[in-house]
Each structure stands twice: as structure tokens, then as C-alpha cells.
Amino acid sequence: MNRSPVSISLSSYGADLVRQHGQGYFIPLVAAAGASCIEWREELLTGEHPAELARSAREHGLDSVYSSPLELWQPGRCEPAPELSATLQRAREFGARQLKVSLGHFNEHHDLRCLASLLFRQPLQLLVENDQTTHGGRIEPFQRFFSAVEALNLPLRMTFDIGNWQWQEQSAVNAARVLGRHVGYVHCKAVRQRVDGKLVAIPPGSPELHQWEQLLRHMTQGITRAVEYPLQGNDLVQVTAGQVELLARLGQSRLENANA
């Protein structure tokens, strides 16, 4: 089966459903929908056995990303978060090739050489995401962080969450122009404002898909893009497959033009 460069974040199925069934329940569903990757969510774990999930994902032909809400950098501490080493180990136990964390409170005093040493001992690609916070969800801290990363030639990449820039009222287009070359994984979600003023993730419509097409032009061709918006319906395989197809088509015109 040909799989698309699409990942499914298991949070998309809703916290209650995921905790009810356990994350292993969704492995055959994600595979049947044609995705190439499954994103485990640390905050939704309910005592699953990592080795069993890792083996099942491999048997279904899926790569894995491990998502942790951990903030990489904390105030008043030069070294990375003390939980990072254990989180890296846990991600490896889940069969993940990549660990996704939030940036946290990065500043010029943080010790990237210490981080490099830790990653050398526990080889796993670290993906640093823009979250919905002021300190870890704006363009400027990521510019400073990746300038420091480049200066030391560290093997770190970014998870570019398209929707999260709206929490800080910043342009995803501007973020992609500035940070696109650092991106290794893309979280896709459209965002709307509810009547109570709260922002919530929703599936994309045509305007969002058109914008996402433009954003991906600033990133590596064929980059894995993840569904991180609600997947709901009576037939979750069908619902998921439809969204996998939508995201897989992003960037196809660019690829076709390159091969023309």
C-alpha cells in the first residue's frame, strides 16, 4: 500500500475516546486510512505498553512521532529540562524516530552544548514546536533559538504548528518565510473563534488548504504534515482517509512542476 506523507496526531480523535480505547486501538485505523505515521500523545497515555505499541505500529507499516508537552527550556535553568533524558528514552521505547516538545522559555543564557551532548548519548531527532504561549509560541524566540542552533550545527528541527500562530496573532505566512528551512514536521489545523472568544481547532476548508499550500513552499519538499484537528464521524477510517488525501495533495503541484 502506498502511504502518503501524512501523520495522524491521536489527539484528533478526542481525549475521551483515546483514553477510553487506548492509543493502540487507533493503529490499524490510521494505517487503513493511508497515513504513513502515527503521533503518540504522552498526555493521553493510560498505561499502554510501549513495546507493544511500537511493534504493532511497525507491523502496520507506520512510523512514529512521540509528542510530549514538555517545555525544553525553563526559567532560571541553563540546562535543558531535567525530564528531557527520561522523555527521550520513553520516545525510543515507543519506537519513535522523533520526539516533539515545546520550546519553553529560551534565552541567550541557555546551554545548547549540554543539549547537544544529551542528544548524542540518546540519538533521536528533537522537534521543537511553537505552542500557544507568549514565551514559546512567537516567531522571535524561534529566530533566536535556531540562530544559536545553526551556529553550533546541531541536528534539531522544528515542528511548525500552522494554527498556533493565531493564539499570538502572528502570521503563519511570515513564520514560514522566516523559519521554513528549519521545519522537519508540520502540524495542520484551521482555527476559528467561538462566541465566547476562545480559539479552537477545526478541519480546513478551501481557503486554509490554499494557504497551507503556500506555506509548504518554504519547507522541504514532501515534508510530513500531521492532522491535528477533530476527526469525528460514524466511520473514522473514512473520515481519516479523506483528510489524509487532502493533506497528501498539498505540494503536489510543486512536485509535478519540478518533474515536468
Side-chain angles (χ1 to χ4, degrees):
M1 178 180 182
N2 291 326
R3 299 197 180 278
S4 302
V6 177
S7 177
I8 304 296
S9 169
L10 293 185
S11 59
S12 301
Y13 296 110
D16 291 343
L17 188 66
V18 174
R19 290 192 178 111
Q20 175 188 343
H21 289 293
Q23 297 191 39
Y25 171 86
F26 297 91
I27 294 171
L29 191 163
V30 169
S36 61
C37 183
I38 189 167
E39 183 181 313
W40 313 118
R41 301 292 296 205
E42 184 176 83
E43 72 275 15
L44 299 180
L45 290 172
T46 54
E48 291 94 332
H49 297 288
E52 292 179 8
L53 293 186
R55 182 176 62 253
S56 181
R58 285 195 304 269
E59 290 172 350
H60 283 83
L62 296 172
D63 291 330
S64 300
V65 172
Y66 187 86
S67 173
S68 170
L70 177 71
E71 289 191 331
L72 180 59
W73 304 107
Q74 301 176 353
R77 178 184 170 87
C78 294
E79 298 82 11
E83 304 89 351
L84 179 60
S85 181
T87 306
L88 284 162
Q89 180 58 36
R90 192 177 309 119
R92 294 178 66 186
E93 291 169 359
F94 273 82
R97 297 181 180 180
Q98 298 165 309
L99 167 64
K100 182 181 77 66
V101 299
S102 293
L103 177 63
H105 298 258
F106 177 74
N107 62 47
E108 67 276 10
H109 301 297
H110 284 119
D111 188 351
L112 271 74
R113 293 186 187 278
C114 179
L115 176 60
S117 176
L118 179 60
L119 294 176
F120 180 78
R121 296 194 302 272
Q122 293 184 284
L124 197 72
Q125 185 174 57
L126 195 62
L127 299 168
V128 185
E129 181 182 39
N130 59 298
D131 60 18
Q132 297 170 8
T133 66
T134 302
H135 57 269
R138 296 184 62 80
I139 296 170
E140 298 81 14
F142 276 89
Q143 286 181 284
R144 294 192 293 270
F145 176 66
F146 278 106
S147 291
V149 165
E150 280 188 315
L152 294 175
N153 196 29
L154 300 181
L156 275 74
R157 304 288 283 170
M158 180 179 182
T159 294
F160 187 98
D161 189 302
I162 296 172
N164 279 354
W165 300 111
Q166 293 193 42
W167 267 260
Q168 299 303 320
E169 298 182 348
Q170 289 197 307
S171 164
V173 175
N174 289 342
R177 288 181 184 139
V178 172
L179 300 167
R181 70 183 186 278
H182 303 298
V183 176
Y185 188 61
V186 182
H187 260 190
C188 298
K189 60 172 172 267
V191 176
R192 70 171 172 84
Q193 189 173 43
R194 299 191 319 197
V195 292
D196 63 1
K198 183 179 180 181
L199 297 177
V200 293
I202 60 172
S206 295
E208 288 84 10
L209 291 170
H210 176 71
Q211 184 202 51
W212 296 356
E213 182 85 38
Q214 303 310 307
L215 295 177
L216 291 181
R217 294 178 182 274
H218 299 283
M219 303 172 193
T220 303
Q221 192 165 292
I223 194 169
T224 299
R225 61 295 307 257
V227 173
E228 203 203 21
Y229 48 82
L231 294 172
Q232 300 171 339
N234 293 329
D235 188 339
L236 285 178
V237 172
Q238 183 181 42
V239 170
T240 304
Q243 296 303 314
V244 168
E245 184 179 354
L246 278 180
L247 296 194
R249 286 205 299 264
L250 295 175
Q252 282 302 306
S253 58
R254 176 183 169 194
L255 184 60
E256 289 163 2
N257 291 336
N259 293 332

